[in-house]
Amino acid sequence: MYIILGYDEIAHALARNLSRSGEETLVVGNDEAVFAGLKEPNLRTVVADIHTVDFGSLPMKNAIALILLQKTYDDNLILANRIRKLFPDKFILSRATDDTEDAELLKNGTDRTVQTVRIIANALQNELETAKLKRSVFRLVSVIQAAKSKGLAVFLQDNPDPDAIASGFALKRIAEKYNIKSNIYYGGNIGHQQNKTLVNLLETDLIRLKTTDEVLKIINAADKVALIEASIPSKNNILPIDTILHIIIDHHQTDFSLVKGEFVEILPHIGATSTIMTRYLRHLNIVPDPPLATALRYGIRVDTGGFTRNTTTEDLDAAAYLSPLLDTALLNQIENPPMSAETMDIIGKIIRNREIRGSYLISFAEFITDRDALPQAAELMLQMEGVSTVLVFGIDKDKVQLSARSVDSRINLAFLLQKAFGFMNAGGHANMAAGSIDLGIFGDVNDKKSLSRITLDAVRKKFFSAAGIDIEKREIPDDLELMVGNSIKD
């Protein structure tokens, strides 16, 4: 039983909704005439003066809550006091118009308050967000449709993760709706076992490019070029720095002054690009098939750390929408692949080579071929007692690959890595970031022992210095800074 004290258009709507949902509802008001149109099942009305009403005559024993909807704040306050004294165990909900009334009502017996103005404002803002989404989708589709002659080339970040892979497939699906041909390209490797499994089970080709000539050939053969999960050509992607982009969709922090494209949607407050793509699909009434739904749902889960970091209501809403559409068996195959021997070896080296300074842990994996083992190792090391920030790194061919994690709210990892290694060499989120640094002239050094020492000294020095941690002086070669070029210099 719910008892509503006061009657107006809000009380009328609430009473109807409660009664139609099967809830017993009683409305108390001082004007019998206004109740004439209130004919609903499970609904009763009582005419009484709100100031003199005998609560003993009302079915208070069965009342789950009392809702105070008087026209004036003073009347609601008086009622709250009376009810609390007579029925201290009852839940009282009252209307308020501002924060002052809110505070006074809560102090004088009300359990919860609802500010109607704030609710209306929030509802209007939500509708404006829908308008913004409609505008974004319209502009995106316009750019895609302009690629009807030679198609759309979709480029992902280097070493694409599940979020990038799923988002790329989602963009391809949108292009298919408008009969626009498209292909998905990437640089680097897909080494993580889960990522390999994801690509295999999606049964759609991702094309790996290795050289600038290959990239230029693709760009010149397409009408439009899209970049997903990255925003600046050559920054964590294989595109040349002067590439003209037409579509950019990302959720990472970036320097917006460097981002240029016909359609740009970068939303750092959202936890995953897969969330952005899911919103597009829903607005376009494209229901993702089970493989795509599974990929998008998995992309959101991975980039939000199982919904424990960078998670917004948009991410949760997208995940809830996708959950009934996904293939559970497919998801289990993606989440539980066998771990490679190299991944185990890399994790072992990270554990063995760790160095801890306060709450910071840094570790060198030495020479690797599976770059995707680094984030797995970083996540593992973050579980060590007393450690809140982790950087792990390794040498992969001619690059130093970085992966960092943190649970320290005072630290922004993306900014910290950019400060240490240069804006074009690193990026990500406040608690999850990565980087890739060219070895420069040292990439051809045949003496791996010397290259390892130089790399360790350079990364260690730069990271701890950027973090403001004093470390003992080491003998470092004069030409150390050449290792990563000008971008790593102070």
Side-chain angles (χ1 to χ4, degrees):
M1 166 72 74
Y2 293 96
I3 300 176
I4 301 173
L5 298 163
Y7 189 74
D8 58 9
E9 64 276 6
I10 294 176
H12 178 85
L14 176 61
R16 292 182 64 184
N17 288 346
L18 287 172
S19 64
R20 290 178 180 181
S21 65
E23 300 288 353
E24 293 289 334
T25 307
L26 175 67
V27 182
V28 180
N30 58 7
D31 187 353
E32 185 173 8
V34 298
F35 290 145
L38 194 60
K39 304 294 183 182
E40 297 290 339
N42 309 310
L43 178 62
R44 290 191 295 131
T45 61
V46 171
V47 179
D49 187 326
I50 210 70
H51 297 287
T52 60
V53 62
D54 179 10
F55 284 104
S57 66
L58 302 179
M60 297 297 293
K61 182 179 179 181
N62 298 324
I64 297 172
L66 292 95
I67 303 101
L68 312 184
L69 295 177
Q70 295 301 301
K71 292 182 179 179
T72 69
Y73 155 72
D74 289 336
D75 284 348
N76 286 324
L77 188 62
I78 292 170
L79 276 173
N81 271 303
R82 282 187 66 197
I83 296 168
R84 180 58 66 218
K85 290 176 182 177
L86 293 170
F87 307 98
D89 62 321
K90 296 302 179 184
F91 184 92
I92 304 172
L93 173 66
S94 178
R95 172 165 54 194
T97 58
D98 56 34
D99 291 339
T100 301
E101 290 186 6
D102 189 291
E104 285 300 311
L105 284 162
L106 292 173
K107 193 164 59 176
N108 286 277
T110 304
D111 292 287
R112 293 286 188 274
T113 63
V114 173
Q115 294 187 33
T116 51
V117 172
R118 181 175 294 175
I119 289 175
I120 293 171
N122 289 340
L124 290 172
Q125 186 172 347
N126 288 338
E127 295 306 318
L128 292 177
E129 287 296 318
T130 302
K132 189 187 297 184
L133 175 61
K134 179 179 180 179
R135 178 174 177 267
S136 291
V137 172
F138 177 80
R139 291 171 54 221
L140 173 63
V141 170
S142 296
V143 177
I144 291 174
Q145 288 179 313
K148 61 184 177 182
S149 177
K150 295 186 290 183
L152 173 68
V154 180
F155 284 85
L156 308 180
Q157 61 179 202
D158 282 347
N159 311 301
D161 62 9
D163 190 25
I165 294 167
S167 298
F169 283 122
L171 184 60
K172 183 178 179 66
R173 178 66 184 86
I174 294 173
E176 289 174 357
K177 176 181 174 70
Y178 298 97
N179 298 314
I180 303 298
K181 61 183 179 181
S182 64
N183 288 304
I184 304 174
Y185 306 93
Y186 70 98
N189 296 291
I190 298 179
H192 195 298
Q193 301 91 335
Q194 292 170 324
N195 299 353
K196 288 180 178 178
T197 304
L198 175 62
V199 173
N200 292 336
L201 294 176
L202 284 172
E203 297 182 350
T204 301
D205 289 336
L206 259 70
I207 302 170
R208 181 186 179 192
L209 303 177
K210 298 181 180 180
T211 68
T212 301
D213 287 341
E214 288 179 315
V215 176
L216 291 175
K217 183 177 180 181
I218 297 299
I219 292 173
N220 293 332
D223 286 316
K224 301 290 181 181
V225 177
L227 179 58
I228 306 296
E229 270 280 89
S231 57
I232 300 170
S234 82
K235 178 176 167 59
N236 193 29
N237 59 81
I238 198 171
L239 292 169
I241 196 167
D242 58 351
T243 301
I244 297 174
L245 295 174
H246 305 95
I247 296 172
I248 299 171
I249 305 173
D250 194 12
H251 74 120
H252 293 98
Q253 298 166 342
T254 190
D255 184 343
F256 283 88
S257 67
L258 300 178
V259 179
K260 296 177 174 59
E262 282 186 63
F263 173 82
V264 177
E265 185 91 289
I266 302 175
L267 304 176
H269 72 280
I270 285 181
T273 301
S274 291
T275 296
I276 301 172
M277 301 308 301
T278 300
R279 296 174 74 202
Y280 293 162
L281 293 171
R282 294 178 71 179
H283 192 82
L284 291 168
N285 295 317
I286 300 174
V287 179
D289 58 22
L292 178 55
T294 304
L296 289 167
R297 177 65 167 71
Y298 183 61
I300 296 171
R301 192 187 73 76
V302 170
D303 255 39
T304 60
F307 306 100
T308 62
R309 62 189 176 213
N310 304 323
T311 308
T312 65
T313 54
E314 289 94 336
D315 298 305
L316 296 174
D317 181 60
Y321 166 76
L322 293 165
S323 292
L325 303 173
L326 59 77
D327 183 329
T328 304
L330 179 62
L331 183 61
N332 287 335
Q333 291 182 64
I334 295 169
E335 290 185 326
N336 300 292
M339 183 174 288
S340 70
E342 185 187 3
T343 297
M344 296 290 288
D345 288 342
I346 290 173
I347 291 175
K349 289 177 183 177
I350 291 295
I351 294 172
R352 184 172 63 251
N353 296 339
R354 69 189 185 277
E355 175 184 358
I356 299 175
R357 297 274 171 176
S359 62
Y360 288 80
L361 182 150
I362 188 170
S363 189
F364 181 32
E366 301 167 14
F367 293 88
I368 64 174
T369 59
D370 181 7
R371 183 257 175 221
D372 286 323
L374 293 178
Q376 295 178 76
E379 295 278 3
L380 178 64
M381 301 310 290
L382 194 60
Q383 298 177 35
M384 183 173 289
E385 184 178 1
V387 172
S388 61
T389 302
V390 170
L391 172 68
V392 299
F393 60 100
I395 300 173
D396 182 9
K397 297 184 178 66
D398 60 348
K399 293 182 183 294
V400 179
Q401 301 289 354
L402 313 165
S403 184
R405 297 291 187 271
S406 181
V407 292
D408 191 337
S409 60
R410 299 168 299 176
I411 294 172
N412 187 309
L413 272 183
F415 294 158
L416 178 59
L417 292 194
Q418 287 169 359
K419 179 181 178 181
F421 307 112
F423 175 77
M424 294 298 290
N425 294 324
H429 304 284
N431 50 22
M432 179 174 63
S436 180
I437 308 168
D438 287 333
L439 276 170
I441 63 172
F442 291 98
D444 296 325
V445 172
N446 293 322
D447 183 354
K448 287 190 173 184
K449 185 175 181 179
S450 296
L451 181 57
S452 291
R453 180 177 63 84
I454 292 170
T455 302
L456 174 59
D457 283 338
V459 175
R460 179 177 180 274
K461 171 188 173 185
K462 288 295 179 180
F463 180 72
F464 282 135
S465 176
I469 297 175
D470 291 329
I471 58 175
E472 74 278 6
K473 293 184 179 296
R474 287 189 170 193
E475 292 298 324
I476 300 176
D478 293 336
D479 55 358
L480 172 65
E481 302 296 345
L482 292 175
M483 184 190 77
V484 291
N486 293 330
S487 62
I488 198 173
K489 289 185 178 180
D490 288 328

